[in-house]
Amino acid sequence: MDIANTNKLSGIRTPYYYYDTNLLRDTLKSINDEVSKYDGYFVHYAIKANANLKLLKIIKDAGFGIDCVSGGEIERALEAGFSSEKIVFAGVGKSDWEIELAVDNNIFCFNVESIPELEVINEISAKKGKVSNVCFRINPNVGAHTHANITTGLAENKFGIAMEDMEDIIKMSSTMKNVNFIGLHFHIGSQILDMSDFVALSERINELQDKLVADGIKLQIINVGGGLGIDYQNPQENSIPNFKDYFATYHKHLKLRPGQTVHFELGRAVVGQCGALITRVNYMKKGAVKQFAIVDAGMTDLIRPALYDAVHKTINLTSDEPEQLYDVVGPICESSDVFVKDIKLNAVRRGDIIAMLSAGAYGEIMASQYNCRRLPESYTSDEI
Ligand code: LLP
């Protein structure tokens, strides 16, 4: 990502998110180039990763669909101009008003996570005189080599319908007049870099599909969810994820029946590398054993280190003096408000500008106002 550009933003209040929209466009192009190699592959951007309107418009212009998990996300997607026929709507706890909003807007498909939810969707659709497309999210009991807090496809997780209940819910849906069963949905977790996890998912889907076909049940679509990870250690060298291997893995291992389409819900891999959190050093402090750089961004602006032990590559944009060892910490009254420990940075002084890279996904959107802090602003390379 081109971070040098942020020099032009000096004088602007920190902390803020900076987005390299050229990198975003290159990333979208790379996805489109790979997807176009295969028939019937379609990507829905997982808006939960970043719902900044400036980015959403670029993603929409690249032709992507959208994956939402709340009524608010559906509203934001529509505001950005995404067509409702490209919206998929997942989530274990959809409220009635959210289902009504989705039905009113004729979204492409609900990803249904339980039998009680299916009954409510059927009821609300009937009340509105509509028939809603549904996919069933199946919990495939496939692990992912990633942090426990972002693993979703194990039997112990709250997500999806147990595999043994799959046929029952499909049969039940065929007796309901206001839902139309079109396929299955899966998502095993996030920040997955080991392609063998996607191979395992494909093999499980093949097994399930064989079983359904034997029972005369046809699927129009298979939605494999998202999860492709990014390189947090070397973001500048690997600024665009390996979409070639990702889509080729599914192409090789996922067995499709004629006319079937495959849907993907990528979030982090689309926007992760194009964003950085820019913060200013407020104070330097020598502790008994540590040297702290206290910055004006906190866990309220980027919670990933506190929540998932994530390490974002951190650089001092102001200094080129010899490196020293620092803990970079925020101002929030919580011991977990630490961005990174024992990191080498070019000698830091009060006022220096620090960038935390790979913060485009699950950064700005997870910001909170704890301690009555202001939410961070955002700027893009298009604007400066
Ligand atoms: N589809 C479903 C059903 C999901 O639950 C998720 C992410 C995605 C797609 C997009 O996954 P991605 O391609 O971005 O890996 N806040 C955490 C990540 C939480 C992911 C939640 N679900 C983090 O900062 O690492």
Side-chain angles (χ1 to χ4, degrees), residues 46 48-49 67 69 90-91 111 113 137 149-150 152 159 185-187 189-192 225-229 232 265-269 304 307-308 361-363 366:
K48 65 175 77 66
D67 158 40
V69 288
N111 290 329
E113 307 218 12
R137 177 171 181 178
N149 288 10
I150 50 175
T152 51
F159 300 99
H185 172 238
F186 304 83
H187 176 74
S190 199
Q191 185 50 20
I192 298 169
L228 177 63
Y232 282 97
E265 301 173 341
L266 292 175
R268 187 190 315 265
R304 302 194 67 260
L307 206 51
Y308 316 110
Y362 308 108
M366 291 183 80

Side-chain angles (χ1 to χ4, degrees), residues 110-131:
F110 285 89
N111 290 329
V112 178
E113 307 218 12
S114 67
I115 290 174
E117 181 195 329
L118 179 67
E119 288 168 342
V120 175
I121 295 172
N122 186 53
E123 216 172 276
I124 292 177
S125 304
K127 217 168 56 196
K128 293 179 179 290
K130 296 202 174 174
V131 177

Side-chain angles (χ1 to χ4, degrees), residues 80-118:
F82 283 90
S83 120
S84 58
E85 297 113 65
K86 290 184 179 175
I87 297 179
V88 293
F89 182 20
V92 288
K94 301 176 185 79
S95 293
D96 289 13
W97 76 266
E98 296 178 305
I99 295 174
E100 285 176 16
L101 175 75
V103 172
D104 285 342
N105 281 286
N106 305 312
I107 64 160
F108 170 58
C109 176
F110 285 89
N111 290 329
V112 178
E113 307 218 12
S114 67
I115 290 174
E117 181 195 329
L118 179 67

Side-chain angles (χ1 to χ4, degrees), residues 15-57:
Y16 61 84
Y17 275 89
Y18 174 73
Y19 297 107
D20 179 346
T21 35
N22 295 319
L23 177 56
L24 175 61
R25 287 191 187 90
D26 289 347
T27 305
L28 295 166
K29 182 174 182 306
S30 166
I31 296 173
N32 278 335
D33 286 349
E34 295 307 321
V35 160
S36 65
K37 291 182 182 166
Y38 310 110
D39 279 344
Y41 277 31
F42 191 78
V43 180
H44 301 259
Y45 165 62
I47 188 175
K48 65 175 77 66
N50 190 318
N52 187 311
L53 275 177
K54 296 178 244 187
L55 304 192
L56 288 181
K57 291 196 169 129

Side-chain angles (χ1 to χ4, degrees), residues 297-310:
M299 63 192 284
T300 49
D301 305 293
L302 179 64
I303 201 173
R304 302 194 67 260
L307 206 51
Y308 316 110
D309 304 312

Side-chain angles (χ1 to χ4, degrees), residues 13 53 128 167-168 178 180 194 201 260 269 276 373 379:
R13 195 179 74 212
L53 275 177
K128 293 179 179 290
E167 299 213 24
D168 284 350
N178 296 86
N180 176 36
D194 187 340
L201 174 62
Q260 265 178 351
R373 284 169 57 83
Y379 302 93

